[in-house]
């Protein structure tokens, strides 16, 4: 259901892996980022048939250079758009990526930091450690990493943008994964015992360089939580829930004592597993909107969607959109396996028509971080590298036009 009053016209069911712009054989198991969409296959949502206004979009595009990568993991960008962390190598398989079950083969993975505004992306800085997976979140001080351990546990750390060794934030005998940062230093992540499959959600404060655990949300009955996401104001936590093959999104209110039951939950897919749950949230570099809507990759409709817990409504970006990044209050950059375009941020319970996108680049450049007002750092994936650049939208948003 796409919100109350929306009309859904269903075609053939399509399952799309997010971010497979290439299908290299890297690691022990090929892990395509995005599967190219067959013509005419998918599901369309048409809440209205209003004509789409076409506009000319003025923009600039600067290419910084090419960096080696594992061909799978999207880079992490500093909030000011000046630094980028890249998964240079990784042999992690799907079990290691999803932290699902025991991983008996040690993971070997390295990360490199590049200064985006320096000529030739130099000097590059290698992060100390050979079993480091790039995390989901970054702030002005550094970025998160994860380290699968040989005993089956998993640690979460933070690396400074100047490099060095990780500062370990969660380093015990449990499996700690999928951490995210909120403004002010609050950290949320998935946590379970090595012999358990039910994920709990742990929340802690990392102020002053020390991690103080604030509480834990236990696993849902007969189910598991997935990778959490904070609202921009830190007052709401959105968490995927997987139970009996059903993927739902749940929202927790963080304004008082930590609750154990979500304020609201809505089901979005009924043939899900750990990999589907991972793909719905973890690869995204998009953040919640100021209005408190959360982005996720909708496995049923094969595109990025926004869930609004306050109104329990879902809004859809354009068909086949695999990555989005808001560049102002009205517009977002949207990447598909074929192009990078500008779209208006969809209103609750609506869906963007395919022709609404104003195409910028006829290649699958993925927006991975903000660079400046109206700008974004973008990455074009190759089999074993990323070409990094910046796109800046010069045309004012529709609301700002005279």
């Amino acid at each position: 259901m796409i919100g109350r009053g929306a009309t859904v016209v269903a075609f053939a069911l399509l399952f799309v892996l997010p971010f497979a712009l290439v299908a290299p054989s890297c690691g022990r198991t090929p892990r395509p980022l995005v599967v190219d969409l067959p013509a005419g296959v998918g599901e369309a949502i048409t809440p209205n048939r209003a004509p789409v206004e076409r506009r000319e979009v003025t923009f600039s595009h600067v290419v910084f250079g090419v960096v080696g990568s594992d061909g799978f993991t999207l880079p992490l960008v500093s909030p000011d758009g000046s630094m980028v962390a890249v998964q240079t190598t990784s042999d992690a398989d799907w079990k290691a990526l999803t932290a699902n079950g025991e991983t008996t083969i040690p993971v070997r993975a390295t990360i490199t930091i590049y200064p985006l505004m320096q000529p030739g992306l130099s000097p590059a800085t290698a992060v100390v450690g050979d079993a480091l997976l790039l995390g989901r979140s970054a702030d002005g001080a550094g970025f998160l990493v994860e380290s699968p351990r040989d005993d089956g546990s998993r640690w979460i750390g933070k690396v400074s943008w100047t490099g060095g060794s990780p500062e370990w934030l969660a380093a015990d005998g449990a499996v700690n994964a999928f951490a995210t940062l909120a403004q002010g230093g609050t950290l949320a992540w998935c946590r379970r015992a090595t012999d358990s499959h039910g994920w709990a959600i742990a929340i802690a404060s990392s102020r002053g360089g020390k991690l103080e655990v604030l509480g834990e949300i236990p696993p849902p009955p007969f189910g598991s939580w997935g990778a959490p996401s904070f609202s921009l104001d830190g007052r709401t936590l959105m968490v995927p829930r997987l139970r009996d093959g059903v993927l739902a999104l749940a929202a927790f209110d963080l304004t008082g004592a930590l609750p154990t039951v979500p304020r609201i939950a809505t089901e979005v897919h009924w043939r899900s597993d750990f990999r589907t749950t991972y793909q719905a949230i973890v690869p995204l570099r998009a953040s919640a909107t100021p209005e408190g809507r959360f982005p996720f990759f909708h496995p049923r409709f094969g595109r990025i969607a926004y869930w609004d817990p306050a109104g329990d409504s879902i809004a859809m970006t354009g068909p086949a959109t695999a990555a989005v990044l808001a560049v102002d209050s009205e517009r977002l950059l949207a990447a598909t396996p074929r192009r990078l375009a500008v779209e208006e941020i969809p209103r609750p319970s609506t869906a963007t028509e395919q022709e609404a996108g104003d195409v910028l680049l006829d290649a699958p450049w993925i927006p991975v971080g903000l660079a400046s007002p109206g700008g974004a750092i973008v990455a074009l994936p190759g089999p074993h590298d990323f070409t990094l650049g910046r796109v800046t939208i010069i045309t004012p948003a529709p609301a700002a036009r005279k």
Side-chain angles (χ1 to χ4, degrees):
M1 182 173 178
I2 316 302
R4 298 172 179 85
T7 301
V8 180
V9 181
F11 296 101
L13 182 66
L14 173 68
F15 177 74
V16 181
L17 305 183
F19 307 111
L21 305 161
V22 289
S25 178
C26 56
R28 302 184 183 93
T29 305
R31 303 163 304 177
L33 265 54
V34 181
V35 174
D36 203 8
L37 301 175
V41 177
E43 291 184 308
I45 307 160
T46 54
N48 63 69
R49 290 290 186 179
V52 175
E53 178 186 358
R54 300 294 296 176
R55 295 181 297 269
E56 292 295 327
V57 178
T58 305
F59 70 98
S60 65
H61 181 216
V62 178
V63 175
F64 298 134
V66 180
V67 298
S69 79
D70 69 340
F72 177 78
T73 308
L74 291 179
L76 271 178
V77 179
S78 62
D80 63 1
S82 66
M83 307 293 291
V84 63
V86 178
Q87 188 79 60
T88 312
T89 63
S90 174
D91 63 359
D93 57 14
W94 274 111
K95 275 192 174 183
L97 291 172
T98 60
N100 180 24
E102 297 181 3
T103 302
T104 58
I105 303 176
V107 171
R108 295 291 173 254
T110 58
I111 297 170
T112 305
I113 303 170
Y114 297 91
L116 288 172
M117 305 308 169
Q118 296 299 318
L121 300 172
S122 180
T125 303
V127 178
V128 178
D130 61 359
L132 298 177
L133 298 178
L134 201 57
R136 302 173 52 216
S137 190
D139 60 17
F143 56 93
L144 297 179
V145 298
E146 296 181 11
S147 179
R149 316 303 292 183
D150 293 348
D151 62 359
S153 65
R154 193 178 182 106
W155 294 359
I156 294 171
K158 190 174 183 181
V159 177
S160 167
W161 287 112
T162 60
S165 300
E167 173 193 0
W168 297 113
L169 303 177
D172 51 25
V175 184
N176 302 282
F178 314 133
T180 188
L181 289 164
Q183 294 181 3
T186 305
L187 188 75
W189 71 97
C190 292
R191 177 181 172 84
R192 64 174 176 82
T194 55
D195 58 354
S196 171
H197 290 280
W199 290 101
I201 298 296
I203 300 179
S205 170
S206 60
R207 296 181 182 88
K210 295 182 179 180
L211 197 69
E212 178 186 355
V213 177
L214 303 177
E216 188 171 288
I217 302 172
F222 311 106
S224 182
W225 299 119
S229 299
F230 285 104
S231 60
L232 290 184
D233 60 11
R235 297 165 65 90
T236 302
L237 189 72
M238 189 274 280
V239 188
R241 184 187 68 198
L242 181 63
R243 184 163 58 194
D244 294 330
V246 177
L247 175 61
L249 303 179
F252 291 86
D253 189 349
L254 302 181
T255 57
L258 185 64
T260 58
V261 177
R263 170 168 52 87
I264 189 172
T266 187
E267 296 178 354
V268 296
H269 193 238
W270 297 271
R271 290 184 177 180
S272 293
D273 55 17
F274 281 106
R275 189 182 299 190
T276 309
T277 306
Y278 174 96
Q279 291 161 352
I281 301 294
V282 174
L284 301 188
R285 293 291 182 260
S287 61
T289 67
E291 299 78 19
R293 294 192 288 159
F294 292 90
F296 70 102
F297 182 82
H298 203 308
R300 180 182 175 193
F301 296 101
R303 64 177 82 178
I304 302 296
Y306 283 90
W307 179 49
D308 177 13
D312 194 19
S313 65
I314 291 178
M316 296 286 184
T317 61
T321 301
V324 297
L325 187 68
V327 293
D328 55 41
S329 61
E330 300 289 334
R331 299 173 297 179
L332 52 81
L333 288 174
T336 76
R338 287 175 287 277
R339 52 82 170 145
L340 178 68
V342 177
E343 295 182 3
E344 291 187 14
I345 298 176
R347 299 182 303 277
S349 299
T350 68
T352 301
E353 300 285 359
Q354 186 170 8
E355 63 267 30
D358 297 309
V359 176
L360 302 183
L361 301 170
D362 287 317
W365 288 86
I366 304 172
V368 292
L370 290 173
S372 60
I377 303 300
V378 292
L380 180 67
H384 303 290
D385 57 43
F386 278 110
T387 303
L388 299 174
R390 182 181 65 231
V391 168
T392 302
I393 309 300
I394 300 172
T395 309
R401 294 179 184 175
K402 302 295 185 180

